[in-house]
Amino acid sequence: MDSTRHRRPTADAAGAGASDQGAGHQGAGHQGAADNDAERFWEQHYRTPRAWDARVNPLLAETATPLRTGAALDLGCGAGGDAIWLARRGWHVTAVDISTTAVERVRERARDLGVADRVVTAQHDLGRSFPAGRFDLVSAQYFHTPLPLHRNRVLGTAARALRPGGLLLVVDHGSTAPWSWNQDRDIHFPTPAETAAELDLDPAHWSVLRADMPRRRATGPAGETATVIDNVLLVRFIGG
């Protein structure tokens, strides 16, 4: 389950979700080719603007609304709906994506909306590099990819980048929406319990606050609607 895709196509775009980030691991001798494939894939995805890309993901809004603001990290920021939403509510956000086009768009949108002082953008292939810093909230929304990636290594790094009391929110697709770019009927969506087990976080230092699979009505790029399942894992870093 570890070598899976990473990034998220945008609020409800990928089958329930948000933006995606690509990167990769393909094994010795093939890393460079895999990285180039991932970057090309997500560059092509983000060269076509989509109005629905800019919406905040509902489970991030639900989780973050009651929190005290601080430093947030948006993994696979895509078109920036989540990063901009957080910044407009007072968070200082680091927004990263493998797509240069995506991060440039987020930077421009933050400037246009007057929150450029609260949004830092950076291009990262998260299979190879990870943003520096410590965070009160790390968000990984629909962090799937059709290309090879050791996803759980990235999420484990994210968990270790939390400040004491900080939260890691992982929202995955639990079903395939009719408008999803991936219509593979044999795809396995990792359950929250599986993701938590694969992260293998020491319960003395991290606690699972939420691990469930809620259903919701989602809206696709052409206005169509469908019931989708989200796999939600929320982890708090206790400290130590």
Side-chain angles (χ1 to χ4, degrees), residues 39-55:
E39 187 168 352
R40 282 194 297 268
F41 180 90
W42 292 114
E43 272 298 298
Q44 182 176 1
H45 179 82
Y46 282 109
R47 281 175 187 155
T48 303
R50 298 167 173 84
W52 36 269
D53 277 351
R55 294 180 296 185

Side-chain angles (χ1 to χ4, degrees), residues 2-237:
D2 193 18
S3 185
T4 57
R5 87 122 263 178
H6 95 271
R7 205 237 86 70
R8 40 173 207 185
T10 168
D12 299 327
S19 87
D20 301 72
Q21 229 216 333
H25 161 82
Q26 180 137 354
H30 298 282
Q31 180 69 58
D35 294 341
N36 291 337
D37 287 347
E39 187 168 352
R40 282 194 297 268
F41 180 90
W42 292 114
E43 272 298 298
Q44 182 176 1
H45 179 82
Y46 282 109
R47 281 175 187 155
T48 303
R50 298 167 173 84
W52 36 269
D53 277 351
R55 294 180 296 185
V56 64
N57 282 290
L59 284 159
L60 172 65
E62 175 187 318
T63 301
T65 293
L67 299 179
R68 182 177 180 177
T69 59
L73 173 61
D74 186 4
L75 298 177
C77 63
D82 292 345
I84 298 297
W85 184 89
L86 288 166
R88 296 182 81 175
R89 281 152 185 80
W91 290 83
H92 290 269
V93 185
T94 300
V96 301
D97 201 287
I98 196 171
S99 166
T100 301
T101 296
V103 296
E104 287 176 350
R105 258 188 215 147
V106 175
R107 188 182 307 122
E108 291 170 1
R109 188 157 179 253
R111 184 184 64 243
D112 292 344
L113 293 173
V115 292
D117 60 330
R118 293 198 293 274
V119 178
V120 174
T121 60
Q123 192 271 351
H124 275 274
D125 176 344
L126 291 169
R128 305 184 68 179
S129 64
F130 196 89
R134 303 280 282 179
F135 304 94
D136 302 292
L137 173 66
V138 178
S139 175
Q141 302 286 306
Y142 310 103
F143 195 60
H144 313 278
T145 181
L147 302 166
L149 171 75
H150 283 298
R151 188 181 93 123
N152 288 310
R153 291 185 187 176
V154 177
L155 295 179
T157 301
R160 290 186 290 274
L162 292 171
R163 292 171 176 162
L167 299 178
L168 169 63
L169 175 64
V170 181
V171 180
D172 290 333
H173 298 305
S175 63
T176 301
W179 55 83
S180 173
W181 51 265
N182 189 344
Q183 292 293 326
D184 182 358
R185 295 184 179 181
D186 295 324
I187 191 171
H188 173 74
F189 297 103
T191 67
E194 288 171 339
T195 298
E198 289 168 355
L199 290 180
D200 195 26
L201 298 172
D202 185 344
H205 302 297
W206 287 270
S207 61
V208 175
L209 302 182
R210 179 176 181 179
D212 62 353
M213 302 171 65
R215 294 174 180 268
R216 65 181 173 89
R217 292 296 289 178
T219 303
E224 65 271 58
T225 61
T227 298
V228 298
I229 299 171
D230 293 316
N231 292 347
V232 183
L233 177 66
L234 182 64
V235 176
R236 170 176 288 148
F237 178 49

